[in-house]
């Protein structure tokens, strides 16, 4: 039997990682490894979620992104001392040579990086979601039962995202903060199409002052379940998402398969398939007539 190991950052000591990407990005690595292990009858080695990084501390971010409190191994993956022994003694095969691993036994196939985002797991969202839900620590499970029906979900990523001009964002610069007023204007348009003040749930790492144009709108509430994975799980349950350009929003879209609206040139990857209902729409201004019709269908009384 071969093993599969999702190596979530370059400096992975087996019990802690030093630095590395954010949760949305490392989940790509985990999902690819998870699906490959299922399809090729390999044993998954539990990844090193815990990461120590100085950036969020120095920036005084609300989420320090240590990721030690997200998951608990409930899926039968190899962990503990056996994990450390395997990583220290077994020969390793990089992901790009995984086809060669079938010729051998007892190797560890190491998955790393983004590698096409959802390309290899696009049709496996249900399996990935069930695995993530099964492994959630108890404190993160509240999001699974929260009622997000008949609401609008909004993800506003600010934090360490660059503040650039609207023109740069419109031209497709990623990892940049979107104009908060854009979110507010979209909420107003959607409510006008729905014919009522639909409830809005705001997920964000921004300050109250930064979010003021949105939070000052009626029937709008900021919400968090305390950790990044719980917030992704919660956001994935909304019927319509106004998304940021971050991988956090991408994961909510992937797990929830809901309709979404993104800023112009900010959909990094189309996620809905021919098996899904709904739409993925980009705009930096007015919602077009066809999309408006679909929004009215979502919020029919």
């Amino acid at each position: 039997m071969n093993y599969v190991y999702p190596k979530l950052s370059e400096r992975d000591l087996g019990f802690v990682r030093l630095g590395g990407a954010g949760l949305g990005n490392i989940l790509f690595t985990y999902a690819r490894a998870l699906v490959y292990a299922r399809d090729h009858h390999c044993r998954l080695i539990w990844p090193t979620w815990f990461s120590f990084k100085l950036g969020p501390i120095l920036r005084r971010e609300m989420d320090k992104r240590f990721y030690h409190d997200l998951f608990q191994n409930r899926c039968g993956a190899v962990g503990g001392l056996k994990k450390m022994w395997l990583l220290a003694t077994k020969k390793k095969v990089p992901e790009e040579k995984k086809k060669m691993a079938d010729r051998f036994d007892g190797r560890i196939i190491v998955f790393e990086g983004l590698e096409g985002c959802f390309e290899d797991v696009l049709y496996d969202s249900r399996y990935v979601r069930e695995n993530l839900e099964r492994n959630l620590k108890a404190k993160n499970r509240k999001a699974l039962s929260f009622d997000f029906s008949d609401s609008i979900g909004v993800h506003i990523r600010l934090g360490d995202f660059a503040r650039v001009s609207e023109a740069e964002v419109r031209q497709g610069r990623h990892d940049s903060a979107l104009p908060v007023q854009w979110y507010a204007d979209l909420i107003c348009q959607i409510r006008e199409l729905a014919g009522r003040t639909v409830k809005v749930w705001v997920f964000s790492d921004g300050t109250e002052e930064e979010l003021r144009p949105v939070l000052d709108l009626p029937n709008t509430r900021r919400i968090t379940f305390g950790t990044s994975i719980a917030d992704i799980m919660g956001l994935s349950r909304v019927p319509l998402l106004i998304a940021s350009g971050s991988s956090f929003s991408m994961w909510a879209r992937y797990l929830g398969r809901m309709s979404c609206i993104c800023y112009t040139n900010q959909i990094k990857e189309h996620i809905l398939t021919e098996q899904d209902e709904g739409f993925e729409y980009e705009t930096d201004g007015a919602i077009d007539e066809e999309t408006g019709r679909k929004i009215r269908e979502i919020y029919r009384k």
Side-chain angles (χ1 to χ4, degrees), residues 44-271:
L44 182 73
I45 299 176
W46 190 243
T48 307
W49 294 106
F50 178 39
S51 172
F52 181 78
K53 53 189 73 174
L54 284 174
I57 298 174
L58 296 176
R59 291 189 294 269
R60 299 183 180 180
E61 296 180 18
M62 291 181 290
D63 185 356
K64 299 302 185 289
R65 306 182 197 178
F66 293 152
Y67 304 144
H68 63 290
D69 56 351
L70 305 185
F71 300 109
Q72 181 177 341
N73 182 5
R74 294 193 181 95
C75 62
V78 178
L81 292 177
K82 185 174 181 180
K83 167 187 172 178
M84 301 299 290
W85 179 79
L86 288 173
L87 292 178
T89 62
K90 294 293 183 181
K91 292 185 178 180
K92 299 176 179 63
V93 177
E95 180 182 0
E96 59 268 23
K97 296 183 179 180
K98 56 182 179 287
K99 292 183 179 179
M100 297 175 58
D102 293 337
R103 307 174 190 174
F104 307 101
D105 189 39
R107 302 292 176 99
I108 298 176
I109 307 168
V110 180
F111 284 71
E112 295 185 73
L114 301 183
E115 293 295 331
C117 296
F118 293 113
E119 182 178 348
D120 292 339
V121 296
L122 192 60
Y123 291 87
D124 297 289
S125 62
R126 181 174 180 178
Y127 177 71
V128 174
R129 183 185 185 107
E130 288 174 351
N131 177 274
L132 294 178
E133 290 182 352
R134 183 184 309 119
N135 292 318
L136 283 177
K137 286 195 172 182
K139 61 178 278 186
N140 298 318
R141 304 187 69 83
K142 183 178 178 181
L144 304 182
S145 58
F146 193 90
D147 184 11
F148 285 103
S149 61
D150 197 39
S151 68
I152 303 167
V154 178
H155 180 230
I156 305 177
R157 174 67 182 272
L158 297 173
D160 59 345
F161 267 25
R163 272 47 168 192
V164 300
S165 68
E166 289 189 46
E168 289 181 83
V169 178
R170 196 177 296 115
Q171 289 166 7
R173 174 168 173 172
H174 292 150
D175 300 328
S176 302
L178 305 181
V180 176
Q181 188 60 49
W182 171 78
Y183 291 96
D185 292 343
L186 266 184
I187 291 168
C188 293
Q189 288 188 66
I190 292 168
R191 285 172 164 176
E192 184 176 353
L193 289 164
R196 54 197 169 91
T197 309
V198 180
K199 180 75 177 182
V200 172
W201 297 103
V202 179
F203 293 79
S204 180
D205 58 356
T207 67
E208 295 289 311
E209 189 57 36
E210 288 174 316
L211 301 174
R212 190 59 54 202
V214 169
L215 297 181
D216 279 349
L217 295 174
N219 204 22
T220 298
R221 180 181 170 187
R222 186 174 189 174
I223 186 172
T224 180
F225 293 99
T227 65
S228 49
I229 189 59
D231 285 351
I232 287 175
M233 289 298 188
L235 194 60
S236 73
R237 300 172 64 84
V238 302
L240 175 63
L241 171 62
I242 304 177
S244 74
S246 75
S247 55
F248 186 105
S249 279
M250 289 177 70
W251 270 95
R253 292 166 50 208
Y254 174 71
L255 297 174
R257 323 301 292 185
M258 80 289 280
S259 294
C260 75
I261 302 177
C262 301
Y263 198 87
T264 299
N265 288 325
Q266 290 297 311
I267 293 184
K268 296 178 182 178
E269 182 174 355
H270 288 279
I271 290 169

